[in-house]
Amino acid sequence: MSATDTPLAPAPEAGAVMSEEELRRQAVEVLDANWERDHTVPSRALYPHQWSWDAAFIAVGLAHHRPERAWRDLRSLFAAQWYDGRVPHIVFDPDVSERDYFPGPAFWDAPASPGRLGGLTTGIVQPPVHAVAARDVYLRCLDRDAARHELEWLYPRLVKQQTYLFEGRDVAGDGLASIVHPWESGLDNSPAWDNALAAVPVDLSLLRSHRRQDTQVSVHSHRPTDTDYARYIAIAAAYRDGGYLDEGLLERHPFLVECPSFNALLALAELALAGIAEVIGADAAPHRDRAEHITKVLVDRLFNPSTGMFHARDVRTGQLSTARCVSGLIPLVLPGLPEAHRSSLLEVARSEAFGLGGELPLPSYDRTAPDFDRLRYWRGPVWINVNWLLWQGLRAHGHEHEAAALRAAMLGVIRRGGCHEYFDPVTGHGIGAAAFSWTAALALDLMAATP
């Protein structure tokens, strides 16, 4: 870990465990230190801009600390929404040098849009968890009139985001949204993408013309490999060079995957929008209908009875990934998931592969797999945001005992390791960026919940 990864608040000494009050203080310090004018950066050292799904998780935590900042974070993100409804996965801070983050705005070369109030952005998206965040922030606000006003501003933009994903990204025509880049999943280098990525040619010369910044401020062996990163650059460039158009993707784009977690969150967003619609006087029924439809197609298309969980589907080949990744458990968040599938997911989550009910939260990948990597990004480590989603799913289905155990496990690793980006799934030690915003934010939400 480089010197730039030093936490803003002191990390606990080896073997030390913070009290909840000490953790609350550290979480607040992290969020305050990472606030930048009208948004929160994930990490000063590694992620100096605004990230899309980070903003949603951060807003959930800010609702307990600075709710006005929660709304500002969401507003600043949606001010950068594209004319077609897509919400970019990064909104770039114009005050940050192009040298300090790659790929930056010059690489993405996003087209100007007269309807977009925000600044420079990428052209890809991330999971649509923003409606869930907006609903949660509203429910925690004491001033409901002011919060309702915020929902009235956000609602049409959230609907436009969903419409873009339903219509523009239904590449296979089966009712599910496709991702065009692994980064769109939020689970960047998950083994779930390995089969689809294998068909993308590797050109390592791209790393000579486009210098990685992540490995300059983080441990190289913890990050995606150079081979994977070269593919990421090639895929992003292909989408950019196609004008960020979604028509004809099947004929020309090298990576098209239906991700179970992305689509589960798409359905969950519709349920959140139904709740928001009721608050502002809009029609909630279409949102519930869409959530029901996505859930049905998700079960029909991405569930594998032989593994008992959901898997990513390569749209080009029609094949499901064989990798057992945490993304395949995320559909547990859906209250309309059929009983048989819910029970199956719980059985897999409780197994040795993921260890629900143990002292540590669930890893990002099957810990019994031969290529399980406890330190490399999404190929093994524990992430608080996906565990927070699973915690929500457990509660939605009435599994209060296991929800309480998962909450305790999440708070346990953060109290021992601080507000790190992710955690070693064997020791629980914090790794990655040290003062990481969504870990801090979700810690505040977990501490506010009833045990």
Side-chain angles (χ1 to χ4, degrees), residues 359-361 382 384 408-418 423 428 430:
E359 293 186 3
L360 294 175
V382 165
I384 295 301
M410 285 188 280
L411 286 173
V413 295
I414 306 172
R415 288 172 63 190
R416 292 191 297 274
F423 298 84

Side-chain angles (χ1 to χ4, degrees), residues 19-99:
S19 67
E20 286 210 357
E21 184 54 42
E22 289 171 326
L23 174 55
R24 184 174 290 105
R25 185 163 56 249
Q26 183 180 110
V28 164
E29 289 175 4
V30 168
L31 291 174
D32 285 347
N34 286 347
W35 178 256
E36 185 63 44
R37 297 188 306 277
D38 62 357
H39 66 277
T40 307
V41 300
S43 159
R44 291 286 179 184
L46 193 54
Y47 309 104
H49 302 286
Q50 183 183 35
W51 261 256
S52 174
W53 81 325
D54 292 70
F57 292 121
I58 291 165
V60 169
L62 284 174
H64 301 283
H65 168 51
R66 298 285 296 271
E68 75 283 0
R69 285 187 175 178
W71 294 122
R72 288 183 69 190
D73 228 326
L74 292 171
R75 274 185 174 254
S76 66
L77 177 68
F78 276 83
Q81 186 173 32
W82 286 33
Y83 66 92
D84 61 5
R86 82 182 74 192
V87 176
H89 102 289
I90 300 175
V91 180
F92 292 109
D93 185 337
D95 293 337
V96 174
S97 169
E98 187 85 26
R99 298 187 302 272

